[in-house]
Amino acid sequence: MTISIYIDVYGDEKTFSFLKILCMYVVDFFIKSGEVGIEEGKNILITLINNYSEIKDKDYDVFLFRKFGAAICLLISSKGKVILEKSSKLVLRNSIVKSIEELKIKLNS
């Protein structure tokens, strides 16, 4: 599922870098939760790939918020505090550092 989301956005590739695999792994976490649809998954993927150089080697979390059905993906420092309008709903949060550790274990086993 997640690889087809990647292909829809960026086209087919023969091999994937660790960065691209990591981004697909994070998107997979959101999709498998059942709370996130394909279009929102694409939004998360694009946000991660386009901004990874800024958050690389730092402790950031991926947040997906929804208000009146419109979703927004944010990358926020794990130490940062997020305050939103009361009518906004946090759909999911995922740590990139934790995802890197989990993915490395899966790739090495």
Side-chain angles (χ1 to χ4, degrees):
M1 170 62 81
T2 308
I3 197 160
S4 56
I5 292 172
Y6 181 91
I7 291 169
D8 282 350
V9 175
Y10 294 105
D12 201 5
E13 295 184 24
K14 291 183 181 186
T15 59
F16 296 100
S17 66
F18 182 79
L19 162 65
K20 292 174 183 175
I21 294 170
L22 172 64
C23 293
M24 287 188 278
Y25 181 77
V26 171
V27 169
D28 195 57
F29 167 85
F30 282 89
I31 296 289
K32 284 183 177 176
S33 75
E35 295 284 333
V36 177
I38 304 273
E39 289 305 313
E40 293 167 332
K42 288 179 182 179
N43 184 12
I44 295 166
L45 180 68
I46 291 166
T47 300
L48 284 168
I49 289 178
N50 288 350
N51 296 286
Y52 192 74
S53 63
E54 286 187 51
I55 65 171
K56 184 180 179 188
D57 300 325
K58 297 178 185 140
D59 193 6
Y60 272 76
D61 290 346
V62 181
F63 287 80
L64 184 70
F65 292 95
R66 194 176 290 129
K67 181 176 179 178
F68 301 122
I72 183 169
C73 177
L74 300 173
L75 304 175
I76 300 173
S77 168
S78 294
K79 297 174 185 164
K81 183 176 180 180
V82 178
I83 301 173
L84 291 174
E85 296 176 58
K86 291 183 185 200
S87 61
S88 296
K89 176 189 171 195
L90 172 62
V91 178
L92 282 174
R93 174 182 184 174
N94 189 20
S95 167
I96 293 177
V97 169
K98 181 180 171 191
S99 292
I100 289 171
E101 292 168 5
E102 289 173 355
L103 182 58
K104 284 181 179 179
I105 289 169
K106 286 184 178 199
L107 291 174
N108 290 324
S109 57

